[in-house]
Amino acid sequence: MTNKGGFSHYHHHHHSTVNGGSLGIQTLNREKICPFLLRVFIKEGSFHSPSEFSSRNVPEKDEIQIYTWRNATLKEITILIKETYKLARHKESKFEFAFIYPDSRGIYVSKPIGTVFSNKKSADDLTTLDDLFFNYQFLDVSLSIPESSSSSISSPTSPKI
């Protein structure tokens, strides 16, 4: 995959007269911009309670850390979650997303931001973190898997290094 860089670069220039103008508006150059750490907390069947979060504590056993960009879509984030969290790979898994963050009083609150399905399209698939005014909130994920296939694994597997 790394070797195809030259080809796509040529390819882009080749067509720049056709659609190059409109392409650049939304695109963020991921090769030039460093990704940031997105802290994701995943739970089966429900969201975490905001009361599990404080300035000192988070439900660490449920945390997976993902490096991504502000223009990452919710669909893209589900793919990154699946790389680390085996149970999420079920073909009928449903991901509900919420931001968890401290409000103006410093009390943690939860705000639902979208739903993505593994096996069908959703209106939220292409929503990006930027679209959601991402400002380093925690990303809470409620993972639903059809009953018959759910197992008792409830914490993320550590990535093998």
Side-chain angles (χ1 to χ4, degrees):
M1 191 156 167
T2 48
N3 259 352
K4 290 194 177 134
F7 174 72
S8 60
H9 187 251
Y10 164 77
H11 190 76
H12 175 74
H13 279 286
H14 193 66
H15 290 93
S16 58
T17 48
V18 184
N19 57 10
S22 58
L23 258 173
I25 302 167
Q26 288 295 335
T27 52
L28 171 151
N29 187 338
R30 294 188 176 190
E31 287 174 19
K32 292 194 174 133
I33 294 173
C34 282
F36 63 87
L37 177 67
L38 180 64
R39 297 183 69 185
V40 179
F41 296 86
I42 189 163
K43 189 172 183 177
E44 279 173 66
S46 71
F47 284 120
H48 288 86
S49 161
S51 64
E52 295 178 67
F53 295 80
S54 72
S55 56
R56 285 179 222 81
N57 289 304
V58 296
E60 281 174 29
K61 67 175 177 22
D62 298 333
E63 179 173 3
I64 57 177
Q65 298 189 341
I66 288 173
Y67 283 90
T68 190
W69 288 266
R70 302 187 73 87
N71 66 348
T73 64
L74 292 181
K75 188 71 168 185
E76 214 176 335
I77 291 168
T78 63
I79 293 164
L80 295 170
I81 289 170
K82 288 176 184 181
E83 287 176 9
T84 309
Y85 194 86
K86 286 201 177 70
L87 206 61
R89 295 174 196 166
H90 189 280
K91 64 181 184 297
E92 290 176 38
S93 53
K94 176 174 99 173
F95 299 79
E96 291 171 271
F97 292 96
F99 280 154
I100 292 190
Y101 56 95
D103 67 8
S104 56
R105 300 160 301 164
I107 294 164
Y108 278 74
V109 293
S110 177
K111 178 188 169 199
I113 54 170
T115 303
V116 171
F117 301 90
S118 281
N119 61 345
K120 54 180 186 262
K121 286 187 162 55
S122 109
D124 299 322
D125 283 356
L126 300 178
T127 304
T128 67
L129 292 174
D130 248 356
D131 293 336
L132 297 162
F133 304 104
F134 176 75
N135 190 25
Y136 303 100
Q137 299 94 326
F138 295 133
L139 186 62
D140 196 26
V141 181
S142 167
L143 174 66
S144 308
I145 291 163
E147 279 305 307
S148 56
S149 55
S150 184
S151 73
S152 58
I153 307 164
S154 61
S155 69
T157 51
S158 318
K160 290 171 196 66
I161 295 169

